[in-house]
Short mmCIF file of all heavy atoms in Angstrom, two decimals:
data_model
loop_
_atom_site.label_atom_id
_atom_site.label_comp_id
_atom_site.label_asym_id
_atom_site.label_seq_id
_atom_site.Cartn_x
_atom_site.Cartn_y
_atom_site.Cartn_z
N THR A 24 25.99 -4.46 -18.37
CA THR A 24 25.99 -4.63 -19.82
C THR A 24 24.61 -4.26 -20.33
O THR A 24 23.62 -4.28 -19.59
CB THR A 24 26.33 -6.06 -20.24
OG1 THR A 24 25.39 -6.97 -19.63
CG2 THR A 24 27.74 -6.45 -19.84
N TYR A 25 24.54 -3.93 -21.61
CA TYR A 25 23.29 -3.45 -22.15
C TYR A 25 23.04 -3.98 -23.55
O TYR A 25 23.97 -4.43 -24.24
CB TYR A 25 23.28 -1.92 -22.19
CG TYR A 25 24.27 -1.33 -23.17
CD1 TYR A 25 23.91 -1.09 -24.49
CD2 TYR A 25 25.57 -1.04 -22.78
CE1 TYR A 25 24.82 -0.58 -25.40
CE2 TYR A 25 26.49 -0.53 -23.68
CZ TYR A 25 26.11 -0.29 -24.98
OH TYR A 25 27.02 0.20 -25.88
N THR A 26 21.79 -3.96 -23.96
CA THR A 26 21.41 -4.13 -25.36
C THR A 26 20.51 -2.96 -25.73
O THR A 26 19.68 -2.52 -24.92
CB THR A 26 20.65 -5.45 -25.61
OG1 THR A 26 19.49 -5.49 -24.78
CG2 THR A 26 21.51 -6.65 -25.29
N ALA A 27 20.71 -2.44 -26.91
CA ALA A 27 19.94 -1.28 -27.34
C ALA A 27 19.73 -1.35 -28.84
O ALA A 27 20.61 -1.81 -29.58
CB ALA A 27 20.66 0.02 -26.96
N THR A 28 18.58 -0.86 -29.28
CA THR A 28 18.28 -0.87 -30.71
C THR A 28 18.95 0.28 -31.43
O THR A 28 19.19 0.21 -32.63
CB THR A 28 16.76 -0.80 -30.93
OG1 THR A 28 16.25 0.34 -30.22
CG2 THR A 28 16.09 -2.05 -30.39
N GLY A 29 19.25 1.36 -30.72
CA GLY A 29 19.89 2.51 -31.33
C GLY A 29 21.24 2.77 -30.71
O GLY A 29 21.94 1.84 -30.31
N TYR A 30 21.60 4.04 -30.63
CA TYR A 30 22.87 4.43 -30.05
C TYR A 30 22.56 5.07 -28.70
O TYR A 30 22.17 6.22 -28.64
CB TYR A 30 23.58 5.42 -30.97
CG TYR A 30 25.04 5.61 -30.64
CD1 TYR A 30 26.03 5.00 -31.41
CD2 TYR A 30 25.44 6.41 -29.58
CE1 TYR A 30 27.36 5.18 -31.13
CE2 TYR A 30 26.77 6.58 -29.28
CZ TYR A 30 27.73 5.98 -30.05
OH TYR A 30 29.05 6.15 -29.76
N PRO A 31 22.75 4.32 -27.62
CA PRO A 31 22.26 4.83 -26.33
C PRO A 31 23.22 5.77 -25.62
O PRO A 31 24.43 5.76 -25.87
CB PRO A 31 22.09 3.55 -25.51
CG PRO A 31 23.18 2.66 -26.03
CD PRO A 31 23.28 2.96 -27.51
N SER A 32 22.66 6.56 -24.73
CA SER A 32 23.42 7.23 -23.68
C SER A 32 23.31 6.36 -22.43
O SER A 32 22.28 5.73 -22.21
CB SER A 32 22.87 8.63 -23.41
OG SER A 32 23.08 9.47 -24.51
N LEU A 33 24.36 6.33 -21.63
CA LEU A 33 24.42 5.43 -20.49
C LEU A 33 24.58 6.21 -19.19
O LEU A 33 25.23 7.27 -19.16
CB LEU A 33 25.58 4.45 -20.65
CG LEU A 33 25.56 3.61 -21.93
CD1 LEU A 33 26.84 2.78 -22.06
CD2 LEU A 33 24.34 2.68 -21.94
N PHE A 34 24.00 5.66 -18.13
CA PHE A 34 23.94 6.37 -16.85
C PHE A 34 24.15 5.41 -15.69
O PHE A 34 23.83 4.22 -15.78
CB PHE A 34 22.57 7.04 -16.66
CG PHE A 34 22.12 7.85 -17.83
CD1 PHE A 34 21.41 7.26 -18.87
CD2 PHE A 34 22.42 9.19 -17.91
CE1 PHE A 34 21.01 7.99 -19.97
CE2 PHE A 34 22.02 9.94 -19.01
CZ PHE A 34 21.31 9.34 -20.04
N TRP A 35 24.66 5.95 -14.61
CA TRP A 35 24.59 5.31 -13.31
C TRP A 35 23.84 6.24 -12.37
O TRP A 35 24.17 7.43 -12.26
CB TRP A 35 25.97 5.01 -12.74
CG TRP A 35 26.57 3.76 -13.26
CD1 TRP A 35 27.50 3.63 -14.24
CD2 TRP A 35 26.27 2.42 -12.82
NE1 TRP A 35 27.79 2.30 -14.46
CE2 TRP A 35 27.06 1.54 -13.59
CE3 TRP A 35 25.42 1.88 -11.85
CZ2 TRP A 35 27.02 0.16 -13.42
CZ3 TRP A 35 25.39 0.51 -11.68
CH2 TRP A 35 26.18 -0.33 -12.46
N TYR A 36 22.81 5.67 -11.73
CA TYR A 36 22.06 6.38 -10.70
C TYR A 36 22.34 5.72 -9.36
O TYR A 36 22.62 4.52 -9.28
CB TYR A 36 20.56 6.31 -10.97
CG TYR A 36 20.05 7.27 -12.01
CD1 TYR A 36 20.16 6.98 -13.37
CD2 TYR A 36 19.46 8.47 -11.65
CE1 TYR A 36 19.69 7.86 -14.32
CE2 TYR A 36 18.98 9.36 -12.59
CZ TYR A 36 19.11 9.05 -13.93
OH TYR A 36 18.63 9.93 -14.86
N VAL A 37 22.22 6.51 -8.28
CA VAL A 37 22.41 5.99 -6.93
C VAL A 37 21.17 6.31 -6.09
O VAL A 37 20.59 7.39 -6.24
CB VAL A 37 23.70 6.55 -6.28
CG1 VAL A 37 23.67 8.07 -6.21
CG2 VAL A 37 23.92 5.96 -4.90
N GLN A 38 20.78 5.34 -5.27
CA GLN A 38 19.64 5.53 -4.38
C GLN A 38 20.08 5.27 -2.95
O GLN A 38 20.38 4.13 -2.58
CB GLN A 38 18.49 4.59 -4.76
CG GLN A 38 17.24 4.79 -3.92
CD GLN A 38 16.12 3.83 -4.32
OE1 GLN A 38 16.37 2.71 -4.77
NE2 GLN A 38 14.88 4.28 -4.17
N TYR A 39 20.11 6.32 -2.13
CA TYR A 39 20.42 6.17 -0.72
C TYR A 39 19.15 5.74 0.02
O TYR A 39 18.03 6.01 -0.45
CB TYR A 39 20.99 7.46 -0.16
CG TYR A 39 22.28 7.86 -0.82
CD1 TYR A 39 22.33 8.88 -1.77
CD2 TYR A 39 23.47 7.18 -0.53
CE1 TYR A 39 23.51 9.22 -2.41
CE2 TYR A 39 24.65 7.52 -1.16
CZ TYR A 39 24.66 8.54 -2.10
OH TYR A 39 25.83 8.86 -2.73
N PRO A 40 19.29 5.10 1.16
CA PRO A 40 18.12 4.56 1.87
C PRO A 40 17.04 5.60 2.09
O PRO A 40 17.30 6.71 2.57
CB PRO A 40 18.73 4.08 3.19
CG PRO A 40 20.14 3.76 2.86
CD PRO A 40 20.55 4.76 1.82
N GLY A 41 15.81 5.25 1.71
CA GLY A 41 14.66 6.12 1.95
C GLY A 41 14.55 7.30 0.99
O GLY A 41 13.70 8.18 1.20
N GLU A 42 15.37 7.33 -0.05
CA GLU A 42 15.36 8.47 -0.97
C GLU A 42 15.07 8.03 -2.40
O GLU A 42 15.05 6.84 -2.71
CB GLU A 42 16.71 9.19 -0.93
CG GLU A 42 17.05 9.77 0.42
CD GLU A 42 18.36 10.56 0.38
OE1 GLU A 42 18.90 10.79 -0.71
OE2 GLU A 42 18.83 10.91 1.47
N GLY A 43 14.84 9.03 -3.26
CA GLY A 43 14.71 8.75 -4.68
C GLY A 43 16.08 8.59 -5.32
O GLY A 43 17.12 8.74 -4.68
N LEU A 44 16.08 8.28 -6.61
CA LEU A 44 17.34 8.08 -7.33
C LEU A 44 17.96 9.43 -7.67
O LEU A 44 17.27 10.42 -7.92
CB LEU A 44 17.10 7.31 -8.63
CG LEU A 44 16.95 5.80 -8.53
CD1 LEU A 44 15.67 5.38 -7.85
CD2 LEU A 44 17.06 5.17 -9.92
N GLN A 45 19.31 9.43 -7.71
CA GLN A 45 20.05 10.62 -8.13
C GLN A 45 21.02 10.21 -9.21
O GLN A 45 21.63 9.13 -9.12
CB GLN A 45 20.88 11.20 -6.97
CG GLN A 45 20.14 11.53 -5.72
CD GLN A 45 21.11 11.89 -4.60
OE1 GLN A 45 22.22 12.37 -4.86
NE2 GLN A 45 20.70 11.67 -3.36
N LEU A 46 21.18 11.06 -10.21
CA LEU A 46 22.16 10.76 -11.25
C LEU A 46 23.56 10.85 -10.66
O LEU A 46 23.93 11.84 -10.04
CB LEU A 46 22.03 11.76 -12.40
CG LEU A 46 23.00 11.55 -13.55
CD1 LEU A 46 22.69 10.23 -14.27
CD2 LEU A 46 22.93 12.70 -14.54
N LEU A 47 24.35 9.80 -10.87
CA LEU A 47 25.73 9.76 -10.37
C LEU A 47 26.70 10.18 -11.47
O LEU A 47 27.56 11.02 -11.25
CB LEU A 47 26.06 8.35 -9.88
CG LEU A 47 27.46 8.12 -9.33
CD1 LEU A 47 27.74 9.01 -8.14
CD2 LEU A 47 27.66 6.65 -8.97
N LEU A 48 26.56 9.58 -12.65
CA LEU A 48 27.42 9.94 -13.77
C LEU A 48 26.79 9.46 -15.06
O LEU A 48 25.86 8.65 -15.04
CB LEU A 48 28.83 9.37 -13.60
CG LEU A 48 28.99 7.87 -13.36
CD1 LEU A 48 28.98 7.09 -14.66
CD2 LEU A 48 30.27 7.58 -12.60
N LYS A 49 27.31 9.97 -16.18
CA LYS A 49 26.75 9.58 -17.46
C LYS A 49 27.83 9.63 -18.54
O LYS A 49 28.87 10.28 -18.37
CB LYS A 49 25.60 10.48 -17.85
CG LYS A 49 25.99 11.91 -18.16
CD LYS A 49 24.77 12.71 -18.61
CE LYS A 49 25.17 14.14 -18.98
NZ LYS A 49 23.99 14.94 -19.40
N ALA A 50 27.55 8.95 -19.66
CA ALA A 50 28.41 8.99 -20.85
C ALA A 50 27.52 8.89 -22.07
O ALA A 50 26.60 8.06 -22.09
CB ALA A 50 29.43 7.84 -20.84
N THR A 51 27.75 9.74 -23.04
CA THR A 51 26.83 9.82 -24.17
C THR A 51 27.39 9.23 -25.45
O THR A 51 26.65 9.09 -26.43
CB THR A 51 26.40 11.27 -24.42
OG1 THR A 51 27.57 12.05 -24.65
CG2 THR A 51 25.66 11.82 -23.22
N LYS A 52 28.69 8.91 -25.50
CA LYS A 52 29.20 8.28 -26.71
C LYS A 52 30.34 7.32 -26.36
O LYS A 52 30.93 7.40 -25.27
CB LYS A 52 29.66 9.31 -27.73
CG LYS A 52 30.75 10.25 -27.28
CD LYS A 52 31.02 11.25 -28.39
CE LYS A 52 32.25 12.10 -28.09
NZ LYS A 52 32.08 12.95 -26.91
N ALA A 53 30.65 6.46 -27.31
CA ALA A 53 31.64 5.41 -27.09
C ALA A 53 32.97 6.00 -26.64
O ALA A 53 33.41 7.04 -27.14
CB ALA A 53 31.82 4.59 -28.36
#
Side-chain angles (χ1 to χ4, degrees):
Chain A
T24 57
Y25 67 89
T26 58
T28 54
Y30 195 102
S32 293
L33 303 174
F34 310 88
W35 277 100
Y36 280 82
V37 59
Q38 183 180 31
Y39 298 103
E42 298 184 9
L44 280 69
Q45 305 172 27
L46 180 66
L47 180 60
L48 54 84
K49 68 177 182 181
T51 58
K52 59 183 188 296

